Amino acid sequence: MDANATTPLLPEVFEAMRPFYLEHYGNASSIHQQGQQARAAVDRAREAVARLLHCRPAEVVFTSGGTESDNLALFGVLAAGDHLITTSIEHHAVLHAAESLAKRGVEVTFLPVTAQGLVEPAALIATLRPNTRLVSIMYANNETGVIQPIDALAGIAHAQGALFHTDAVQAAGKLPLDIGAHGLLKDVDLLTLSGHKLHAPKGVGALFVRRNVQLSPIFHGGSHERQRRPGTENVPGIVGLGKAAEMAGEWLKGVGPARLAALRDRLEEGILAQIAQTGINGAGAPRVANTTNIYFDHVEAEALLIALDLKGLSVSGGSACQSGATEPSHVLTAMGLTAARARATLRFSLSKLTTEAEVEEALRLIPTAVARLRELSPAQSNESAALTI
Ligand SMILES: Cc1ncc(COP(=O)(O)O)c(C=O)c1O
């Protein structure tokens, strides 16, 4: 139950990729047939990603993943003297890129969020300046699953002449992504995707760059990806991303999303009903169907994570990218949680492969593990320490 950290390759994705490792291993820039087979495969994958997004194939730039796409979006359009607006709950790929840009003369504003984890359109309106060049606000948060009102936020940015980027890494494959003229994301200029969050391999991603947006490359080399991202294409990875995008598009049209939401709701209801002093962070806000972020007061989330891992249940405390860090999650802190409650929080993230039996098994394991840890809670163990002295 840690699909927001990563997802397994689907067998169909793996099978689509296999020939491009073993037989059609050509360089997509070569003129000979081997090269042209690779080029054709990259083009087909670009069309598949474009269909998922409802954009033109030429607007899709393949990258090495979500981190690179976020960096390309920010560094590719901003220069000293520009103003960037982003939020305090972004993934570190955006947060740290913004901090780095601030050191290079870009003015940066980090918008706060409400207790539910939402960015308020009024806060964006109040922060826009004549030199605001880019607004970057994630679509779905990786920790809480909270979905931002991107249509409203991007519309506001556009009305002021600013470009709009959204990190859609945790929305792709979970929500329809329509950047077409009549779509919810029609005012989005740049959009980040990562392969490994939607059953494609790690190390491949894409950045949607709307036609007419001037983007400077952050790498320097050949003229790949229409001069926007040099480097020999990762053909098998790109083929995998294309196949996964195609499968995600099909899945979104079927009963899958409702089934996934029902599993997540069952997990939440089961935990809240069986365990006292628990609650959902981001409850009440729109959330993607696979994610729940739950606090278990008086429990150290890290200890609970380890206890559950020993029973075969993989979950995450905060976000996987920060694991090992002792700081409470910046997302939960921005939502106003106390450090204690943030440290008592676990993220459960399901995927389309999660079964009902797995959810029932989790509901059997979690209450027992929480009860054990609460018996050893710091308050009680301090008391017994005092008694021993
Ligand atoms: C919201 C978000 N953005 C960006 C990334 C980074 O993507 P990648 O792992 O492909 O670099 C992640 C991965 O955790 C993410 O959740």
Side-chain angles (χ1 to χ4, degrees):
M1 297 191 170
D2 201 15
N4 286 9
T6 200
T7 56
L9 281 192
L10 292 172
E12 295 90 336
V13 172
F14 184 61
E15 287 310 323
M17 294 169 66
R18 186 199 292 271
F20 295 93
Y21 282 116
L22 301 174
E23 298 155 40
H24 312 308
Y25 56 83
N27 182 324
S29 300
S30 299
I31 290 170
H32 50 63
Q33 286 182 41
Q34 274 278 6
Q36 291 314 299
Q37 279 163 345
R39 166 64 49 215
V42 169
D43 288 347
R44 282 195 300 275
R46 200 184 303 281
E47 282 159 18
V49 173
R51 272 195 301 278
L52 184 70
L53 302 180
H54 301 266
C55 69
R56 298 177 184 85
E59 294 173 314
V60 175
V61 178
F62 288 119
T63 66
S64 66
T67 300
E68 185 189 330
S69 294
D70 284 343
N71 275 268
L72 180 55
L74 269 61
F75 282 87
V77 302
L78 290 161
D82 289 338
H83 178 220
L84 163 69
I85 301 176
T86 184
T87 79
S88 46
I89 58 158
E90 298 298 310
H91 188 270
H92 285 132
V94 168
L95 279 183
H96 290 168
E99 285 164 11
S100 172
L101 281 159
K103 290 188 196 130
R104 294 162 197 231
V106 172
E107 298 167 27
V108 184
T109 304
F110 295 96
L111 292 176
V113 292
T114 64
Q116 292 184 320
L118 286 166
V119 176
E120 287 179 308
L124 174 60
I125 294 170
T127 323
L128 282 157
R129 302 179 193 158
N131 65 335
T132 307
R133 170 99 179 111
L134 181 70
V135 177
S136 176
I137 301 179
M138 71 196 320
Y139 199 178
N141 183 268
N142 42 305
E143 295 189 34
T144 59
V146 169
I147 301 169
Q148 300 300 335
I150 293 298
D151 49 344
L153 297 168
I156 292 166
H158 260 196
Q160 290 289 314
L163 295 171
F164 194 91
H165 166 248
T166 189
D167 176 336
V169 165
Q170 297 289 351
K174 299 169 193 167
L175 298 174
L177 297 176
D178 189 350
I179 39 199
H182 305 292
L184 210 56
L185 306 183
K186 63 180 183 315
D187 286 315
V188 169
D189 300 292
L190 299 142
L191 178 145
T192 292
L193 294 180
S194 169
H196 72 109
K197 311 288 182 176
L198 71 158
H199 304 278
K202 296 162 185 63
V204 67
L207 181 67
F208 156 75
V209 184
R210 197 177 287 283
R211 195 165 59 165
N212 301 332
V213 171
Q214 293 300 319
L215 185 88
S216 306
I218 52 175
F219 296 164
H220 302 281
S223 56
H224 310 80
E225 299 296 286
R226 295 174 182 246
Q227 268 111 48
R228 294 168 296 187
R229 202 280 187 176
T232 301
E233 293 88 344
N234 167 9
V235 179
I238 289 170
V239 167
L241 179 55
K243 183 68 186 174
E246 191 185 305
M247 294 181 72
E250 288 303 314
W251 182 82
L252 283 167
K253 285 188 224 148
V255 296
R259 181 193 153 272
L260 185 57
L263 283 181
R264 193 270 315 267
D265 292 349
R266 164 80 187 122
L267 179 68
E268 279 184 348
E269 285 156 15
I271 291 176
L272 268 52
Q274 291 185 71
I275 313 175
Q277 295 177 287
T278 50
I280 298 162
N281 299 318
R287 290 179 296 143
V288 280
N290 80 315
T291 308
T292 185
N293 190 285
I294 301 185
Y295 63 83
F296 300 84
D297 280 343
H298 311 299
V299 172
E300 278 296 325
E302 237 173 73
L304 181 55
L305 187 155
I306 293 165
L308 294 175
D309 185 35
L310 290 172
K311 300 282 179 192
L313 177 61
S314 317
V315 299
S316 171
S319 79
C321 317
Q322 285 170 262
S323 58
T326 48
E327 289 296 299
S329 141
H330 68 282
V331 174
L332 300 178
T333 307
M335 289 164 66
L337 267 76
T338 60
R341 185 163 274 182
R343 287 203 180 94
T345 292
L346 283 187
R347 174 185 75 185
F348 300 83
S349 47
L350 316 186
S351 82
K352 58 183 169 190
L353 304 177
T354 305
T355 64
E356 224 169 289
E358 285 170 336
V359 170
E360 295 309 321
E361 177 66 0
L363 287 177
R364 202 179 59 73
L365 295 173
I366 300 163
T368 319
V370 172
R372 283 222 179 103
L373 289 168
R374 279 193 178 152
E375 281 167 22
L376 309 167
S377 75
Q380 288 178 30
S381 39
N382 283 348
E383 263 176 42
S384 51
L387 284 176
T388 327
I389 293 165

